[in-house]
Every structure is written in C-alpha cells, then in structure tokens.
Amino acid sequence: MIPSNIFASKGAVISALATILLLSFNENSAVAFTPTSTSSAPSLRITPIVKSSNVKLHSAIEDTTPIQSEPVSPSMSLLEHFITEYQQSLEGGSKWATEFGFAEEGEDAPESAFYAIFRAIRQVDAKTNNADGSSSGEKLMGLRGVPMYVPNYILARAEQKHQNAFCDFFHFPHLAKALEEDFLDAQRGSTNNRKGWQVAAVSQPTGSSFNDARMTLPEVNAALEAGTVIFNNIGAHIPRLAGPTLASTDALSLPGALNMYVTAKGMRTSAPPHTDRQDVLVVQMEGAKRWRVFTPPADGDVKPNADPFARGKGEDSLPLHTLLEGSEGRLGSELLMDVVTREGDVLYIPAGFPHTTDTVEESNDVDYDTSIHLTFNIDTHVWDLDYLAARSAALQRNKVNDALSPQSENRYVGKVNQLPQNIRSEVMDALPLEFLDIIPSESPDFMNGVAKQLAKKCNLVDEATGQSAELSEASYVEALERIHSYGSDILDVHRDMYLAAVEEGRLRKAEDAMTAHLKKDDGEVTMSNERMQRLSLFRVRPFFEQIESLKKDLYSWCVSGESIAQESAASSQLDPNWQFTAALKVGDEVEADLGGAFFAGKIAQVTGNTYNVVFFDGDRENGLERDQIKLLNPPTAADEDEFDTTGMTPKEIKRMRKKMEKKKRK
C-alpha cells in the first residue's frame, strides 16, 4: 500500500516544500537532509517501511515533530557527496555554457545545471574508484550501484534559487513545436506488467508526400491513450534537447544519449518492469510519475540466456508480482525505492536495476495532463567501456579461447550469468568514468592500475571456470588502449552529432525571424527545400554510419591482429646505436658532448639538423650536431610529434594530443 501523502496534491506539495526530506539508500544507514526552516507546515519524518539485508526503504509521512536543522545522520553518505559535488560543479557548468554560447558571461542557463549534475556523477564515481582502479566505499554505477532520488528543492537550494534550473525547461508545447518543424519518429510502449516491454510504431506513412510520411501531433495524442510514447536518442533530433545532451557528454567525457518518455495521466502501467543496459539519470520535466526500483534479479543460474541489462524486454518477462515476492522469491529481488518524481526532481538508477512506472494519482487535484521525463543514458556497457568487453578484446586479440564465450554477439548472456553473483557483478563493472579523459601515453600509472584491475577480475573468472588465460599485463594494457581509442572516436562522433543539432537550432531561430511574414494564416510553417534537407532524419544518419564503421574496425582489430608479444618483437628492433641516431624532440633528456665530457641537459630547440641544449645549471649550447648528443631514454611508440600550441587553450591542446595519439594507432 502506498502512503496517501505520496500522491499529494500540488498545493500540498508546495505547502510542505520546505520540509520534504532527501532520501539516501545505502547498506548501513539512511541519511535525510532537513532544511532549516520556521515553517508552520507539518513536518515529514523519515520512517523505514521496508527492511532488507542490503538497504532500507524510507518514505515520508506526516508528523508534528519539530523540524531538525541537521541531517539525521552525521556521516557523509553517497548522496550528500553527490549534492556537494553538484554545488561545486555549478561554476564549471556556467563556464561551459558560456563557452558554447548557451549563456552570456555571468548569466545562468539550464544547460549549465545539466553539465553540473553530470559532472557531480563523474566526481562521485572518481572518488569511489582508487588510483589503481579498485573501488572503495559505495559504488554509484552498475550492478553494485546505489539508486538516488533528489527532489527539486534540494537542487534549487544548491543553486540558491526558488526552483531548480530543470523546471520549465521542456514541456508538451515544446514537443508540439518540434513535431511541426521536423521529421521525428517515436514508438508506443506496451502496458502489461506481466509480460516483456514491447514497442510499436506511433505512426505509419499515409502517402508518398513529406507531410503524409511524417508523424503528427494528433497521432502522438492518440498513442498516449494506449501507452507511453518513447522518443529514442531525441537529443540528436530536437535542438532544444541537444544542449543538455552535449552537456552530459562533455561533463562525463563519455558518449551518451537522451531518450524522452511521454505518458498520459492515469496510466496504471506506463513502463512494465525492466532493466536497462545504461546507468540512467531521469529528470522530470512535466507532470508526475511513480517509480518502483528493485535490486537486480539473482536468477542468472536459472535463466543464463537472459541479458541482465535487458530483463523484461521483448520476449523476456519480468512480472511485477515476482519482483514483489522479495528476497525469498523466485527472482531474489527486493524493493528499494517507491517514489513519485515531479517537475524538477531527479532520479538516478544504476544499470541492471529493475524498475517500473505508472502515472496513477490517488488525488484528482493534481493538475497535469501528461507526464514527461528525460532519461539520460550513461552508455558504458553500450560502447564496450566495461571490464567484460576489455577482457573479451584481450582474449580475442591473443587468440585465447574464452570460457564465457556467448552463443551470440551479446556478451552479457550465457555462461557469464552462471558465475557467482559477486564475480559477475565485478566483471561487468564499467571502466572508470575518467577513462576517456586521459591520454594513455601520458598516464601510464592510471592505465597500469586499470590493467591490474582487469587482470584481477579475469583471474576471478578463471578460478570460477577452471580456465587459465595466462595473459600478460601488457596484453591487458594493449586491449585497454585500443578500447580507449575506439571509445574516444565514438565520443567525438556523439559530440559532433549534438553540436550539429545545436547549430541547427540556432540557424532555425535566425531563419524564423527572417521569414515570420511567410507563415500561413493557420500558423503552419512553410518549409524550404534547403531546410528540408537539414531535417534530423537526414542530419543524424551520417553520424550513425560513422559509428557502425568504428564498431567494425574494433571487431576486426580483436579477431585479426597479432598478439602483443608478436607485435613487440616486430616493433622493438631499435638501431643498436639508437642513443646517437634516434630522432630527438624538444624536452628529451640527453647528455651533450662538450669537448670530450658529457653533461646532462634537455633539448630546448630543434632547428633542421642542429639542436640547442639547456643544461641543469641554466647554461645553453646551441647548434650541436646529432652525433654530439646522447639520448638517455629509448624512443617508444608512445612518443608524439611536437605541434605548435600558440593561441590554443589547454582543452584544445589536450584534444589535439588525443587526435595525434589516435592517428598513430591507425
């Protein structure tokens, strides 16, 4: 039974706004934020209503206890950490938004808050992953992650505003406008909570003309009567949503996507129970939605061919009543969270955690027609940025049989699900979020740390399966470097795709201002042939073609290359006299021959075939020949050419170095 206040009227929500508590779910405690306030409205007390071996579920109930001015628990919870990081990231978000033209200097823009909230996720993940790649404390992401619910007012307080920046950003009229000026596609989801979630097209072409082929607002409204309307990857299509999607991509340094879900009020099941491959951040844009979140199912040994990141989808069923059976039931899942998100609220759900939604309100006083939420996908598992993918790449590259080899291309099904649950969760962990933000040749300690964690997880799999892969650490580093190169390329494609959508939005705005007088009497927009060619249907396609090509390149590298040992033997044939013949570059540590004695120094300048050297005491010697200079360290494949950095920002220099490194690997 849901507490009656969970579906409170909008008026009740506003009157109790200063006393709503922030919920945190972790293994040992529940932490609640309570703002300092002298409000006479009834306070809300955090009361446990479900207890499990892993978490406590808490819900707010009316009480007359005086409002506390300090958190219930003095410990620093994961959620408290998240809020602190969000507040500290707002300034960086503002600079980012200004740099990309979403705001003028000193002004606020919603895009800056989107950047800040994903930067907070990035920082929390970084601080729960040690320098050697191991984890400490609570994890935020994946099968061992922790869900979070953050009400609007907590974020508003961090922003020092009455309501947070997400409120009023995207409503149904924005969707109606997008349908009018573009060619969008959508699907309608099924509503049976006993069967897998399936989708069907919202519209079908009724003729051969442009207007006959594209989806209309009446078709969307008709679909809302039967289920949730789903707009996948909408951040690449609607310019207004491209900014937040770009913000999430840049803040995380990770390729990601944005989906939008629109549901009519009163839908008993708006999304049947299912799991997602992505860790997702939900931002409620309009109306309300009830969410129930459960621990990951523990039935992998019974259903090994069920993808843990796609349970309850397609032919796989994840009935709600089996989830509600609890830890002793068939699935072994427990209810973690039962909350209602309203405009401006944020909900985070780790990958693999079952969840189901509805829009049934117990009060008819709640004033909205549709519920709209944005789901930002943190796509580590989608783009092979996890340890299981790195393990598979290393084994394939070195032609070692994989004891977990799946029967299909999906590595998340089959024998991997028969591993002990703790090992399965570990090997399916995402790589650290900062993985794509580093340059491997400049961060050997980081790469070696991640490689050691990969080797450790692979050893756990070997022990559980009886296999002995016996790969070297160099083999793991090689696989990680290739995945880094691939992931960086995928990231660049996503950024370019969202930047193109942002630019299209600005172009349309300028065109609309110039052609407003050409609108028809009924308000219909007259679309030129040139503008029609820029519709998202055509704009997005080349980017996905690039992505498919990159995926094929990675697969070819995995299955057709030589082992690291073979490559090392072929590439390590240095000139025996390399100290006096290898190419020199600025910054190389050397010894210079000055009249028969060698003195330590560094290359300061390269001019044709001569070199200027600066010594440890500051003296310089110019115009030295190559045979007068002894290189102290052997050249490696990681050495990169110098380039002119004049006028470049640190971010541009970093991006250029990444491009040069990727070019060397090709």
Side-chain angles (χ1 to χ4, degrees):
M1 178 66 182
I2 307 165
S4 59
N5 71 294
I6 284 286
F7 294 99
S9 68
K10 181 177 287 187
V13 171
I14 294 174
S15 67
L17 188 61
T19 59
I20 297 177
L21 298 178
L22 179 62
L23 311 182
S24 173
F25 305 91
N26 57 51
E27 186 171 355
N28 299 313
S29 63
V31 177
F33 282 79
T34 51
T36 303
S37 172
T38 57
S39 170
S40 59
S43 65
L44 300 176
R45 178 188 295 165
I46 292 297
T47 304
I49 58 175
V50 175
K51 294 182 179 180
S52 77
S53 58
N54 297 319
V55 296
K56 295 179 180 178
L57 171 65
H58 295 78
S59 177
I61 63 171
E62 287 193 7
D63 185 41
T64 56
T65 304
I67 298 172
Q68 303 178 58
S69 60
E70 297 295 332
V72 171
S73 169
S75 65
M76 182 62 135
S77 72
L78 191 67
L79 191 46
E80 286 177 286
H81 183 189
F82 176 78
I83 295 300
T84 300
E85 294 293 348
Y86 175 67
Q87 189 168 26
Q88 293 176 352
S89 299
L90 287 169
E91 182 179 354
S94 180
K95 291 179 180 178
W96 178 90
T98 301
E99 179 182 350
F100 283 92
F102 295 109
E104 297 295 331
E105 190 76 37
E107 292 183 353
D108 291 328
E111 288 84 359
S112 65
F114 281 107
Y115 181 96
I117 204 160
F118 286 101
R119 196 66 186 176
I121 289 176
R122 158 75 179 271
Q123 293 301 101
V124 170
D125 179 79
K127 291 179 181 179
T128 56
N129 283 287
N130 301 321
D132 63 353
S134 62
S135 300
S136 59
E138 294 175 304
K139 285 184 63 65
L140 188 62
M141 300 172 61
L143 294 171
R144 297 187 290 161
V146 177
M148 295 190 299
Y149 164 62
V150 191
N152 165 20
Y153 98 96
I154 288 293
L155 296 172
R157 188 172 66 178
E159 299 169 21
Q160 299 182 344
K161 295 180 180 178
H162 175 66
Q163 63 180 20
N164 71 39
F166 307 132
C167 295
D168 297 326
F169 180 73
F170 195 93
H171 289 167
F172 198 84
H174 294 113
L175 173 59
K177 184 175 186 294
L179 289 167
E180 178 185 272
E181 63 183 19
D182 211 324
F183 194 109
L184 302 181
D185 190 22
Q187 298 170 308
R188 175 182 55 79
S190 59
T191 59
N192 188 335
N193 64 25
R194 291 175 173 269
K195 294 183 178 180
W197 198 11
Q198 302 194 15
V199 296
V202 166
S203 66
Q204 295 291 342
T206 58
S208 58
S209 72
F210 171 76
N211 285 328
D212 289 337
R214 69 173 178 167
M215 183 173 60
T216 64
L217 181 60
E219 288 175 318
V220 171
N221 285 328
L224 286 172
E225 296 178 5
T228 292
V229 176
I230 306 161
F231 294 85
N232 285 322
N233 198 34
I234 198 65
H237 293 268
I238 297 181
R240 186 175 181 85
L241 298 178
T245 316
L246 178 65
S248 70
T249 301
D250 278 1
L252 293 170
S253 289
L254 191 74
L258 171 64
N259 300 339
M260 179 169 64
Y261 299 81
V262 185
T263 310
K265 179 182 175 182
M267 192 67 62
R268 187 167 295 279
T269 299
S270 52
H274 67 281
T275 65
D276 291 317
R277 184 154 293 179
Q278 308 90 344
D279 301 85
V280 300
L281 187 85
V282 172
V283 184
Q284 190 72 33
M285 291 284 103
E286 179 174 289
K289 186 159 286 183
R290 179 195 180 190
W291 297 77
R292 281 177 282 184
V293 184
F294 301 81
T295 57
D299 63 341
D301 55 337
V302 179
K303 297 185 72 173
N305 290 323
D307 184 342
F309 297 124
R311 296 299 307 270
K313 293 181 177 179
E315 297 303 317
D316 181 66
S317 61
L318 197 65
L320 178 59
H321 67 272
T322 60
L323 287 167
L324 293 171
E325 290 173 354
S327 60
E328 302 303 319
R330 284 165 282 183
L331 298 177
S333 293
E334 299 179 77
L335 181 64
L336 285 179
M337 188 182 290
D338 189 342
V339 296
V340 172
T341 54
R342 302 190 187 278
E343 187 174 353
D345 289 356
V346 169
L347 179 66
Y348 170 80
I349 304 175
F353 279 59
H355 50 279
T356 183
T357 61
D358 67 69
T359 56
V360 176
E361 294 278 1
E362 289 192 350
S363 170
N364 292 323
D365 297 331
V366 182
D367 183 22
Y368 71 90
D369 295 320
T370 54
S371 167
I372 300 178
H373 77 262
L374 304 179
T375 294
F376 292 87
N377 302 322
I378 303 176
D379 286 337
T380 52
H381 303 295
V382 172
W383 303 118
D384 298 319
L385 297 171
D386 63 23
Y387 286 100
L388 184 62
R391 173 185 177 276
S392 177
L395 293 177
Q396 284 185 307
R397 179 72 172 173
N398 287 273
K399 298 179 174 57
V400 176
N401 291 331
D402 187 354
L404 302 180
S405 181
Q407 299 300 312
S408 68
E409 294 182 3
N410 185 352
R411 67 176 58 90
Y412 303 105
V413 301
K415 295 179 182 177
V416 66
N417 291 315
Q418 295 176 314
L419 292 171
Q421 195 161 356
N422 63 320
I423 296 178
R424 184 190 72 160
S425 297
E426 275 209 43
V427 78
M428 289 186 181
D429 274 348
L431 297 170
L433 283 185
E434 65 265 43
F435 182 71
L436 295 184
D437 209 27
I438 58 97
I439 298 174
S441 64
E442 295 183 1
S443 307
D445 290 343
F446 177 89
M447 292 298 291
N448 289 335
V450 178
K452 287 177 181 177
Q453 284 303 306
L454 174 57
K456 176 185 173 183
K457 296 174 191 295
C458 291
N459 289 338
L460 290 174
V461 173
D462 289 349
E463 292 172 5
T465 60
Q467 183 188 33
S468 180
E470 296 183 351
L471 292 184
S472 66
E473 185 174 313
S475 297
Y476 292 128
V477 170
E478 180 195 36
L480 288 168
E481 287 178 343
R482 184 62 183 86
I483 288 176
H484 179 280
S485 175
Y486 161 78
S488 297
D489 287 338
I490 294 288
L491 172 60
D492 288 345
V493 174
H494 279 77
R495 290 189 79 255
D496 290 344
M497 179 166 60
Y498 302 138
L499 284 167
V502 170
E503 184 61 30
E504 174 63 22
R506 291 169 180 168
L507 187 56
R508 287 180 187 176
K509 185 176 180 180
E511 289 177 344
D512 289 347
M514 295 173 60
T515 61
H517 62 287
L518 299 178
K519 277 192 175 183
K520 297 180 180 180
D521 294 338
D522 59 4
E524 184 180 342
V525 176
T526 301
M527 190 176 299
S528 67
N529 289 332
E530 190 273 336
R531 181 161 173 171
M532 195 175 295
Q533 293 300 315
R534 302 197 322 260
L535 293 174
S536 63
L537 171 72
F538 308 112
R539 187 182 66 246
V540 168
R541 185 181 302 159
F543 295 107
F544 281 96
E545 290 173 353
Q546 291 180 53
I547 288 172
E548 285 302 312
S549 177
L550 291 169
K551 289 166 64 176
K552 290 177 181 177
D553 289 347
L554 177 63
Y555 176 77
S556 297
W557 180 89
C558 290
V559 300
S560 62
E562 295 178 319
S563 69
I564 186 68
Q566 292 171 314
E567 284 196 344
S568 296
S571 63
S572 62
Q573 301 300 320
L574 287 176
D575 186 324
N577 199 32
W578 62 265
Q579 291 178 309
F580 293 95
T581 60
L584 299 177
K585 66 180 188 300
V586 173
D588 277 347
E589 295 182 354
V590 298
E591 289 181 350
D593 182 2
L594 300 179
F598 282 86
F599 295 88
K602 287 186 177 181
I603 300 295
Q605 186 175 353
V606 179
T607 306
N609 295 322
T610 63
Y611 306 86
N612 298 347
V613 176
V614 59
F615 298 99
F616 67 92
D617 58 359
D619 286 347
R620 297 175 65 94
E621 188 71 24
N622 298 332
L624 294 176
E625 301 292 333
R626 180 64 186 91
D627 59 4
Q628 293 178 275
I629 301 172
K630 179 181 179 180
L631 181 62
L632 297 183
N633 299 309
T636 66
D639 289 338
E640 57 186 356
D641 297 330
E642 293 298 311
F643 57 92
D644 185 6
T645 61
T646 304
M648 297 177 69
T649 66
K651 183 179 289 186
E652 289 171 335
I653 293 172
K654 193 171 189 179
R655 201 166 286 161
M656 177 63 73
R657 285 177 176 165
K658 281 187 175 182
K659 287 183 178 179
M660 293 178 70
E661 182 146 327
K662 287 187 286 186
K663 184 177 179 180
K664 287 184 176 181
R665 292 199 184 105
K666 291 179 180 179

